[in-house]
Amino acid sequence: MAPQDKNTPPPLPEPLRVAVADSHTHLDMQDSTVEEALAKAASVGVTTVVQVGCDLAGSRWAAETAAAHDSVHATVALHPNEAPRIVLGDPDGWSRQGAREPGGDSALDAALAEIDKLAALPQVRGVGETGLDYFRTGPDGMAAQEASFRAHIEIAKRHGKALVIHDREAHDDVLRILREEGAPDRVVFHCYSGDAAMAEICAAAGYFMSFAGNVTFKNAQPLRDALAVAPPELVLVETDAPFLTPAPYRGRANAPYLIPVTLRAMAEVTGMTEDALATAVAANTARAFGY
């Protein structure tokens, strides 16, 4: 692929015959307007999107965008990598807000109080993405991350909302904390990254598993093995756009209109027809997020 192709949006896939939802997207990080993104997605049968908050500004934006568009539902949260930044500061300014001063535990409490307020709104269907990320946060940030995760579980339960989990290289601890706190009625493992054995644990607990474009990557056989054993009534599909663009477009920006590419790859893995999987996924996403 020539370098300039990286900036060329992938072509529109063949439309799905059964409409589905993108269970996890970040419209605020994509190049197009919300209206353009939604229209392009709808043109290929992706008629609903779940817009996910990762910090206070993004969570406010998700709630406002969902209020303005019938086809958008919001989730609100402090991302697992956001909690340590609030507590310990972020001199490098890795996040979208730039460099941060350390705010300590009181700053985290204040941010969580605002997430709690947003979680009460009717257009906010979930609390997330929250969880643990041992890939990007070192040992110094783990206490803040865990405290934040436990607080988000409590907020989700109190408001009766879905809990959307970001689990990166932290499977055992995520599952343990869910057991210790008592999981909400509806739990979604976003961008499911476990293996088949973990998929069986999630299935037994009734947790939804949402698969993203990385299920199409050559080196992702453990993910495909997990999808193969995941019960069809617990499977969702997502883009995590602009990230995790499915093959053959890996390296270009992802967007909700590319859901059909991932869904078709998933149908092959599960041995289901495209329409049967789309029907299941559409029903599961509505059930998971209560719309």
Side-chain angles (χ1 to χ4, degrees):
M1 187 191 286
Q4 69 266 27
D5 285 351
K6 296 281 185 202
N7 300 320
T8 309
L12 280 172
E14 186 71 25
L16 297 167
R17 290 178 293 269
V18 176
V20 300
D22 180 349
S23 78
H24 193 111
T25 195
H26 301 285
L27 295 169
D28 49 331
M29 302 181 196
Q30 295 165 38
D31 285 338
S32 63
T33 67
V34 171
E35 290 73 17
E36 286 165 352
L38 295 176
K40 208 168 170 183
S43 76
V44 295
V46 182
T47 53
T48 308
V49 305
V50 179
Q51 167 64 26
V52 174
C54 291
D55 51 33
L56 282 183
S59 294
R60 287 186 207 112
W61 190 88
E64 287 161 14
T65 303
H69 298 276
D70 289 345
S71 59
V72 180
H73 303 297
T75 74
V76 298
L78 310 173
H79 189 284
N81 295 324
E82 176 69 0
R85 278 187 212 125
I86 292 172
V87 175
L88 304 172
D90 179 17
D92 304 325
W94 177 83
S95 81
R96 293 184 293 163
Q97 286 94 342
R100 305 266 192 96
E101 294 298 316
D105 292 340
S106 61
L108 180 59
D109 290 343
L112 287 164
E114 181 154 357
I115 294 297
D116 186 24
K117 280 204 195 82
L118 291 168
L121 296 169
Q123 74 272 27
V124 173
R125 302 289 183 164
V127 172
E129 54 186 285
T130 179
L132 301 174
D133 187 321
Y134 293 167
F135 174 77
R136 199 167 257 130
T137 296
D140 53 337
M142 283 181 187
Q145 206 171 81
E146 183 170 323
S148 179
F149 183 28
R150 289 182 189 272
H152 281 83
I153 294 171
E154 190 277 325
I155 291 167
K157 288 198 290 193
R158 190 155 31 81
H159 292 288
K161 304 287 167 99
L163 182 73
V164 177
I165 291 184
H166 170 104
D167 160 29
R168 191 160 187 191
E169 300 182 11
H171 307 319
D172 292 348
D173 284 350
V174 166
L175 291 168
R176 173 180 58 79
I177 289 168
L178 284 172
R179 283 195 306 271
E180 288 172 2
E181 294 293 322
D185 291 340
R186 290 164 293 137
V187 172
V188 177
F189 273 78
H190 128 71
C191 185
Y192 180 84
S193 61
D195 58 9
M198 180 172 155
E200 285 172 343
I201 293 168
C202 289
Y207 301 156
F208 292 94
M209 291 164 266
S210 184
F211 290 84
N214 54 341
V215 77
T216 67
F217 296 173
K218 273 199 189 74
N219 62 353
Q221 193 55 46
L223 269 190
R224 289 187 283 275
D225 295 343
L227 173 59
V229 301
E233 66 275 13
L234 292 175
V235 170
L236 311 181
V237 66
E238 66 173 88
T239 56
D240 198 22
F243 312 108
L244 297 175
T245 314
Y249 309 114
R250 193 175 179 180
R252 301 201 226 175
N254 202 0
Y257 77 89
L258 290 171
I259 280 281
V261 179
T262 300
L263 186 111
R264 288 180 178 122
M266 289 169 64
E268 272 182 41
V269 170
T270 59
M272 296 172 75
T273 66
E274 176 191 313
D275 290 2
L277 180 59
T279 301
V281 159
N284 298 344
T285 318
R287 201 167 79 250
F289 290 99
Y291 61 81

